[in-house]
Amino acid sequence: MTTTNDFDLLILGSGTAGLTLALKMADSCQVAVLSKQQLDEGASLYAQGGISVVLDKTDSIQSHIDDTLRAGAGLCKPAAVRFTVEHARENIEWLIEQGVSFTRDGVTSETYHLSQEGGHSHRRIIHSADATGREVETTLLAKAQQHPNIHMFPFHIGIDLITSQKHLGESENHCLGCYVLDIKNDTVKTFTAKTTVLATGGAGKVYLYTSNPDVSTGDGIAMGWRAGCRIANMEFIQFHPTCLYHPLAKSFLISEALRGEGAKLKLADGTEFMPRYHPQAELAPRDIVARAIDHEMKRLGHDCVYLDISHQSQEFIETHFPTIYQRCLSFGIDISQVPIPVVPAAHYTCGGIVTDLNGRTDIAGLYAIGETAHTGLHGANRMASNSLLECLVFASAAASDIRQQAPYQYSTPIPDWDASRVEPAKEAIAISHNWDELRRFMWDYVGIVRSTERLNRARQRLTLLKQEIHEYYSQHHINADLLELRNLADVAQLIIDSALQRKESRGLHYTLDFPESDEKKPPADTIISGKI
């Protein structure tokens, strides 16, 4: 018998988006928040740079909009961009009300220090030193844990969404909740809710090298697609230009804010190369910087390039970048004296589940927010520090919309999870081998620079891999690793199929077969229909 848990609101994901929504809804309903690891583990925790917001008198809403549209290479939805930017300040003020502490500028006790990052024409990044995500995540989590109507479930991973069409045989496709694996107790639970929200983050772990934590396996995107949601623009995977290159430094990001404070990218001999690639040099959009680094590494056969901020004083570096300074120092790299070895790594999933400006998906009763969603804000390339802002703005919009929705009425009981035909796995080598193979061929064939031949080769490998995964999933008792592998394989398919559909280079998608943007027709999203 499957344990059933019934709530008004079920949120899968405990990052900035999920916790913001939970806190904004908790006074009026019973909320469940699920996290597949510790409650604070996720991409939000590791976000260093900050949150973009117009606060400076020389800046403007229109300038922020224009910068975002420019970075998005013709695919941003103007309405989504304007909606996000215009609601930025009120959401920053809400964070401050919750107790989030942002870095002051040192001039007065009233104003905040604003940094500048790639693609921004003004200083508009409010931050908490170089650990903004940690400050936001820990503050919101502490507030959520204190609220009597918010029920937290760590070490719970979604298996599949429960829908009226698939599980009750009804004609309408309404989300009723989710089957969930309780990892610690190795049991499947049924979570039902009037409204279900996917806030599970991105899918960086589909690549061999990523700045993302281990939990970023595209669970929400895959579950939404399997349930019938349209998926948009999955070919646009942002590779962060600068991750620390060191054998012991797992996925440690070197914030773009260093380049905003004058850090230069250099080759091993000290030569600066970014001015050859873009007028903004180190402050060019991330896709251009990542491709430039990738090209220089391949051209010279080097394992990395170098980021040099040693022109700044040690006091400045320790004050503005304490986390980065200490982490690099732990590996014997004093960034006030020597350059930092860096490489690009998969960083952000610009595509995702198609939503409207309220976070609604194609399925009634199902919302998606944060990196899981495709709102139209990012287009073909996310501008730095717009992502945490998107989490806040669309969580707030979803909260307002959810309050107005009447619950769906259904009379047929939701069936229990059926595990009667599976047996315990005798060994785990099949999962670990397929996991490694998937991430490696995605890095080799579907990375920063692509070609049709590489993409087709990846598609052939994936077809065989998915068949093995399906057979294993159908025959064996599930665990978290198997669920993540299944989700990563689905996400890999969405990325490859999207990339093959786009016969041009645009934003983050660069292909050798179509190196120019197609200007003969208006830019269009790549849409893949839901699986059902």
Side-chain angles (χ1 to χ4, degrees):
M1 189 77 177
T2 308
T3 303
T4 300
N5 298 268
D6 186 49
F7 293 91
D8 298 306
L9 176 61
L10 170 63
I11 303 172
L12 283 81
S14 58
T16 298
L19 292 176
T20 297
L21 177 59
L23 287 167
K24 295 202 169 191
M25 291 294 296
D27 287 345
S28 59
C29 67
Q30 295 295 315
V31 182
V33 178
L34 275 58
S35 175
K36 65 179 180 180
Q37 289 294 321
Q38 302 97 319
L39 292 169
D40 63 354
E41 181 64 7
S44 293
L45 186 71
Y46 300 98
Q48 294 176 352
I51 307 171
S52 55
V53 57
V54 175
L55 296 176
D56 189 86
K57 292 180 180 178
T58 65
D59 198 3
S60 69
I61 294 292
Q62 190 59 49
S63 177
H64 190 179
I65 291 170
D66 291 343
D67 290 346
T68 302
L69 292 172
R70 191 178 305 112
L75 279 180
C76 295
K77 288 184 169 53
V81 175
R82 179 169 292 279
F83 180 78
T84 305
V85 172
E86 289 182 342
H87 287 85
R89 186 163 190 155
E90 67 195 61
N91 279 281
I92 294 299
E93 291 171 350
W94 179 81
L95 282 182
I96 294 169
E97 290 172 5
Q98 305 311 303
V100 172
S101 176
F102 292 109
T103 299
R104 303 281 180 173
D105 67 0
V107 178
T108 73
S109 61
E110 303 297 322
T111 55
Y112 295 98
H113 180 268
L114 300 174
S115 61
Q116 185 173 359
E117 297 184 349
H120 292 273
S121 59
H122 292 78
R123 285 183 172 268
R124 64 168 71 100
I125 314 301
I126 193 170
H127 61 99
S128 181
D130 62 346
T132 307
R134 182 172 294 275
E135 172 66 17
V136 172
E137 175 71 12
T138 54
T139 301
L140 296 185
L141 180 57
K143 295 279 288 189
Q145 288 175 315
Q146 293 167 7
H147 201 292
N149 290 349
I150 299 178
H151 309 270
M152 314 294 284
F153 294 86
F155 300 100
H156 282 64
I157 179 173
I159 303 170
D160 269 319
L161 294 171
I162 303 168
T163 64
S164 55
Q165 192 174 82
K166 182 177 180 179
H167 296 95
L168 302 186
E170 298 182 359
S171 58
E172 184 177 347
N173 201 16
H174 196 106
C175 187
L176 308 176
C178 189
Y179 292 118
V180 173
L181 175 65
D182 179 340
I183 298 171
K184 292 287 189 180
N185 294 313
D186 193 28
T187 57
V188 173
K189 299 177 179 177
T190 301
F191 278 80
T192 57
K194 298 180 180 69
T195 305
T196 301
V197 182
L198 297 170
T200 58
K205 291 298 285 187
V206 76
Y207 286 99
L208 185 62
Y209 300 112
T210 177
S211 65
N212 292 178
D214 289 344
V215 295
S216 299
T217 52
D219 303 326
I221 296 171
M223 284 191 290
W225 177 63
R226 291 195 297 265
C229 293
R230 286 172 301 151
I231 308 296
N233 290 358
M234 286 299 291
E235 69 270 37
F236 299 119
I237 303 293
Q238 187 173 64
F239 289 80
H240 196 287
T242 53
C243 277
L244 178 61
Y245 179 72
H246 190 282
L248 301 179
K250 183 180 180 182
S251 305
F252 185 68
L253 186 68
I254 304 298
S255 170
E256 190 164 344
L258 270 77
R259 285 179 278 133
E261 298 297 343
K264 301 295 183 183
L265 282 162
K266 299 179 178 180
L267 302 176
D269 63 3
T271 302
E272 297 180 21
F273 58 88
M274 277 309 302
R276 301 201 309 267
Y277 290 91
H278 196 276
Q280 288 181 275
E282 277 75 14
L283 291 180
R286 285 178 176 176
D287 61 316
I288 294 171
V289 179
R291 278 205 304 275
I293 295 172
D294 183 69
H295 180 76
E296 291 296 323
M297 288 169 54
K298 288 176 177 174
R299 180 177 72 86
L300 298 169
H302 290 178
D303 293 327
C304 65
V305 297
Y306 296 86
L307 185 65
D308 191 357
I309 197 171
S310 61
H311 68 282
Q312 295 281 14
S313 69
Q314 182 168 335
E315 179 184 4
F316 178 92
I317 292 171
E318 288 192 55
T319 300
H320 286 78
F321 307 110
T323 307
I324 296 172
Y325 177 76
Q326 290 297 331
R327 185 66 180 272
C328 289
L329 203 60
S330 71
F331 297 117
I333 304 167
D334 183 347
I335 69 174
S336 68
Q337 303 297 320
V338 298
I340 310 165
V342 294
V343 293
H347 183 57
Y348 192 86
T349 309
C350 286
I353 299 172
V354 175
T355 71
D356 64 10
L357 294 185
N358 293 312
R360 293 191 202 178
T361 71
D362 296 326
I363 302 174
L366 179 67
Y367 291 69
I369 53 176
E371 194 173 351
T372 305
H374 174 266
T375 63
L377 171 64
H378 304 306
N381 186 10
R382 177 185 73 104
M383 192 167 68
S385 293
N386 271 353
S387 48
L388 285 177
L389 176 61
E390 182 184 39
C391 290
L392 296 165
V393 169
F394 284 88
S396 299
S400 298
D401 194 68
I402 291 168
R403 292 190 197 100
Q404 302 173 35
Q405 302 305 311
Y408 178 73
Q409 302 296 328
Y410 59 96
S411 56
T412 306
I414 293 173
D416 287 342
W417 175 258
D418 182 11
S420 61
R421 296 187 299 275
V422 300
E423 59 185 34
K426 297 181 177 64
E427 54 187 21
I429 187 62
I431 296 176
S432 60
H433 175 83
N434 287 348
W435 181 288
D436 291 341
E437 182 182 356
L438 173 68
R439 298 180 65 214
R440 187 169 295 279
F441 73 64
M442 286 296 291
W443 180 261
D444 290 341
Y445 300 145
V446 200
I448 297 172
V449 176
R450 299 162 179 172
S451 71
T452 302
E453 181 182 1
R454 292 177 193 169
L455 292 171
N456 282 326
R457 189 172 294 153
R459 191 69 173 87
Q460 291 170 0
R461 299 280 288 276
L462 182 63
T463 299
L464 296 174
L465 203 62
K466 287 197 71 172
Q467 183 178 344
E468 290 183 21
I469 294 168
H470 176 72
E471 290 174 357
Y472 195 94
Y473 179 85
S474 302
Q475 297 169 8
H476 295 95
H477 183 71
I478 59 173
N479 58 38
D481 287 342
L482 177 57
L483 294 176
E484 288 180 333
L485 175 61
R486 178 187 182 223
N487 291 332
L488 282 174
D490 283 343
V491 167
Q493 179 180 334
L494 293 167
I495 294 171
I496 294 167
D497 288 352
S498 298
L500 283 167
Q501 285 186 38
R502 186 164 294 280
K503 307 297 185 184
E504 64 169 350
S505 289
R506 183 177 296 276
L508 299 166
H509 173 70
Y510 184 82
T511 171
L512 297 172
D513 295 288
F514 306 96
E516 304 297 329
S517 295
D518 185 355
E519 303 302 339
K520 295 179 182 178
K521 55 185 179 181
D525 292 333
T526 304
I527 305 291
I528 296 180
S529 299
K531 191 176 180 182
I532 64 167

